[in-house]
Amino acid sequence: MLASPLAPRLTGISTSPEWVMARRAALGSSFVVADEIRRVGVPAWLNAQFRPDTIAEPFLAQAASKYPAIWSTTPEGDAKAGYGGISEGIMAEQMMRVHVLRPVYTKRHLQTTMADFWLDYFSLPYAENKMTGQARQLDALARRMAFRTFSDVLVAFTFSAGMLSYLDQYGSNRAHPIENLAREVMELYSVGVGHYTEADVKAASKLFSGLWGGTRADGTVALGVHEANHWFGAVTIRGRRYANTPWNGGTTSGPKDMVRFVRDLANDPVTRAAVCLRIARRFVSDSPPAAMVTAMQKAWVAKGGSIEHVLRAMFTHPTWLSTAGQKWRRPAETWAAVAATAGVQWTHTRRPADLTDKPVPTTYEAIKAAGQPVRDWPSPQGMPDRSTHWMGTASVLGGFNVADAVLSDADPHLTCPRDLAGRLGITASMTFADAAMRILERVTGYRVPATHALVRTLAVRLAGGGAPARLDAPMGTVAGVERAVHAAMTSPLMFLR
C-alpha cells in the first residue's frame, strides 16, 4: 500500500510496476502504455525506449501533413521549401499545437519526456524567438540529445542558434563583452550560484565574445571567431586557464577553448550532483531518496555522464516503486494523460494550399489558463519543478477544466470517441463497485479497495446521480460511465505521478 504526502487522505491505494513506469516515463500516460509495458516487461520496454529511432512514429507523418512548415530548422531550409514568408507567430502556434499533442500520440515516450525536460532546462520561450528556425532547431535538438552525455547536451544547447540569440551573444564584441551567456551557462545550466565569481563571468564573456557558427543538426558544433570582435588572450575561469591564443593567420585556440570551458562545467562534480537531483526531482518527487540520487551520480561517473545510464540507475533503484505518487503533475501532463486515456483523435484537416493555417488555441489556452504557458515560460530559469507550485487552486481547477474540455469536444480539431465503456472494458453486468474500481485503475493507474470513498463517489455517477442501494449490485447499464470517468479524471489520483 502507498501513502502520498500530496494527498494524505488517499489511504489504502496501490499500483503496479508497469503503471509506475508509464506515469513517470510517458507524459501522455494511459492504460494503453501500461498494457504495452506489461506485455513486453519493464526491462524490454525500457531498452526499446532508449533506442527511439527503432520505434515507428506515425504521429510524425500526421503532424507533418498538417503543419509542414515547422519541420525545417534553418532559414535556408525554409526558403528552399517555400516557407520563408510564414510569420514566426503562426509557426509558434503550430509548434505549440504539435508540442501538446505529441505526448498523446507518440510511441517514443521516454524520448518525448526527456526532450520536454531539456527544453525546460534550457528554456527558450517561443515568444522570444525572432529568427526563423531557432525554436524549431531546439525542439529537434532536444529529442536528438535526449540520452547523450550531459557534456554533449550542454555544449549543443549552449551554442545553439536559439540560445545565442536569446542571450544576446551575437552582439558581444571585444570592446563590450556581453555577460548573459557566460553567466547563465554557469548559474542555470551547470554549477550554480556560489560556485563561480563575477570575475569568472567577466572572463568567460571575453572568451565567448565575437563567436560565429553554432550547433549543427546532429548536435555537434562548428565555431569560429571574428578577428575584429573577439577578445584574444588567456583567461582564467574557476581556476582553469584557457589560452585563447592570439589571431595567427586565421587560426586561434579560442573556439576550442570555448567548448573545453563548457565541457569542464558539464563534468564538474557540482554539476553532476545538481543535474542528477533535478532529473530525480522531475521523475520521482521534490525530495527524492538520497540513495537514489547517489546511485545516479555513480552511474554518471562510470559511464562518462551518459544520461541513458543515469536514467537506468534511477529506474532500477530499490526505492523506485515505493516512491510512487509523490509527484504532482503539471497541467500539460494532466491534459495529455486525459486525452490519451480517452483516445482523442486529431481530426483537423488543413486546406491544401494554406501553409499558414492557424491552430484553434483551445487546448494550449486551457493549459496556459492552468498556469503553464506552453513552451513560453517567460524566463531562462524554466518552469518551477516543485509540486507545491502546481497544487494551487488555478492549476488544479485547470486540470478539472482540461478534463471537461477533452470529454466535451471543446476543441473542434479534436474528437473524443463516445464509447468510453468499451474502451475501458466496462460492461452492464459489472457491479457498481467493480466498475468504479476498474475505471479508477484504468484511468489513473491506482487501485483502491471496494470500501474506498472514491468508489462510492464513482458509483453515484454510474447510477445517474443517486447512490445505488447496493454497491455489489449489477449496474444494468453503462449510461453513467462517461460521468464516472470524468470523476476519476478529476480525482486527486489523476494528479499523482
Side-chain angles (χ1 to χ4, degrees):
M1 295 298 176
L2 298 172
S4 173
L6 305 179
R9 295 187 180 184
L10 287 178
T11 57
I13 62 172
S14 62
T15 190
S16 67
E18 296 82 11
W19 261 107
V20 173
M21 184 60 70
R23 280 192 304 268
R24 289 173 167 177
L27 291 176
S29 62
S30 70
F31 67 91
V32 177
V33 181
D35 288 351
E36 176 188 325
I37 298 173
R38 189 174 293 110
R39 280 194 301 271
V40 301
V42 171
W45 187 83
L46 267 181
N47 287 338
Q49 290 294 314
F50 279 120
R51 303 294 176 265
D53 289 347
T54 67
I55 302 173
E57 187 75 321
F59 171 74
L60 291 178
Q62 184 184 23
S65 70
K66 296 178 187 294
Y67 303 127
I70 67 172
W71 304 97
S72 171
T73 59
T74 65
E76 294 77 17
D78 284 344
K80 184 177 180 179
Y83 304 148
I86 302 176
S87 75
E88 289 295 340
I90 292 294
M91 284 193 177
E93 293 205 41
Q94 292 180 352
M95 290 173 69
M96 285 191 285
R97 183 66 151 182
V98 171
H99 188 80
V100 298
L101 291 180
R102 185 188 293 269
V104 179
Y105 301 112
T106 186
K107 303 299 180 184
R108 301 172 182 177
H109 298 286
L110 187 55
Q111 182 194 47
T112 299
T113 298
M114 277 308 297
D116 189 73
F117 176 84
W118 293 128
L119 288 170
D120 197 32
Y121 192 101
F122 301 98
S123 180
L124 174 68
Y126 283 163
E128 294 289 338
N129 177 33
K130 304 300 183 184
M131 294 178 62
T132 299
Q134 289 179 359
R136 288 173 284 153
Q137 181 203 39
L138 283 190
D139 280 18
L141 193 63
R143 286 185 290 281
R144 180 175 292 278
M145 307 302 293
F147 310 124
R148 299 272 287 273
T149 67
F150 184 71
S151 179
D152 286 345
V153 171
L154 186 60
V155 167
F157 275 91
T158 297
F159 297 111
S160 65
M163 199 60 66
L164 295 176
S165 177
Y166 181 42
L167 296 178
D168 303 318
Q169 190 58 41
Y170 289 125
S172 180
N173 57 59
R174 67 188 350 166
H176 302 286
I178 294 175
E179 298 181 0
N180 294 350
L181 181 65
R183 184 179 304 280
E184 305 301 20
V185 75
M186 289 186 278
E187 178 177 331
L188 298 182
Y189 308 142
S190 59
V191 292
V193 175
H195 298 282
Y196 66 89
T197 66
E198 287 301 306
D200 292 328
V201 173
K202 293 184 182 301
S205 70
K206 292 177 179 178
L207 181 61
F208 284 156
S209 66
L211 69 80
W212 58 263
T215 303
R216 302 184 182 100
D218 65 357
T220 61
V221 296
L223 297 176
V225 296
H226 297 284
E227 180 184 6
N229 290 333
H230 181 64
W231 192 96
F232 294 97
V235 294
T236 299
I237 313 171
R238 302 183 68 248
R240 297 191 179 190
R241 185 178 184 276
Y242 301 90
N244 190 29
T245 57
W247 189 264
N248 181 19
T251 63
T252 170
S253 68
K256 290 184 179 179
D257 288 331
M258 294 178 199
V259 173
R260 184 163 66 89
F261 163 58
V262 173
R263 290 196 185 279
D264 286 344
L265 290 174
N267 293 319
D268 192 286
V270 176
T271 300
R272 178 175 70 236
V275 174
C276 288
L277 176 60
R278 188 159 173 177
I279 290 174
R281 185 180 294 150
R282 169 65 67 90
F283 280 86
V284 178
S285 74
D286 287 357
S287 301
M292 174 186 283
V293 179
T294 297
M296 294 165 69
Q297 292 190 57
K298 288 181 178 178
W300 178 304
V301 173
K303 299 297 182 178
S306 164
I307 296 301
E308 174 184 341
H309 289 87
V310 168
L311 290 170
R312 286 184 181 276
M314 178 179 68
F315 292 144
T316 58
H317 195 264
T319 61
W320 170 253
L321 296 179
S322 63
T323 53
Q326 295 189 15
K327 189 72 178 180
W328 197 264
R329 281 172 165 161
R330 296 174 173 183
E333 187 180 353
T334 304
W335 184 90
V338 167
T341 300
V344 164
Q345 298 169 4
W346 191 7
T347 52
H348 169 57
T349 302
R350 174 181 61 86
R351 293 185 297 277
D354 185 9
L355 297 178
T356 64
D357 183 60
K358 190 173 182 179
V360 176
T362 309
T363 295
Y364 50 83
E365 286 294 340
I367 296 170
K368 181 179 180 180
Q372 187 183 3
V374 176
R375 290 290 288 116
D376 211 20
W377 198 257
S379 71
Q381 284 89 347
M383 298 181 190
D385 205 18
R386 301 280 185 175
S387 291
T388 50
H389 181 88
W390 304 105
M391 294 177 71
T393 302
S395 291
V396 174
L397 182 58
F400 295 166
N401 290 338
V402 298
D404 289 339
V406 168
L407 296 183
S408 63
D409 288 331
D411 191 320
H413 289 176
L414 304 175
T415 302
C416 180
R418 298 269 67 93
D419 183 24
L420 289 177
R423 183 169 175 78
L424 299 177
I426 309 299
T427 64
S429 62
M430 296 176 74
T431 67
F432 288 99
D434 288 343
M437 288 188 292
R438 182 172 179 82
I439 289 171
L440 284 167
E441 195 277 333
R442 296 301 269 173
V443 170
T444 72
Y446 290 101
R447 303 188 187 104
V448 300
T451 56
H452 200 285
L454 281 175
V455 173
R456 294 192 295 275
T457 299
L458 265 64
V460 170
R461 298 293 187 95
L462 288 166
R470 293 175 51 186
L471 290 179
D472 60 353
M475 294 189 298
T477 178
V478 294
V481 167
E482 187 169 318
R483 293 188 295 269
V485 168
H486 181 273
M489 288 179 170
T490 55
S491 73
L493 290 177
M494 193 66 185
F495 293 89
L496 296 180
R497 193 184 298 159

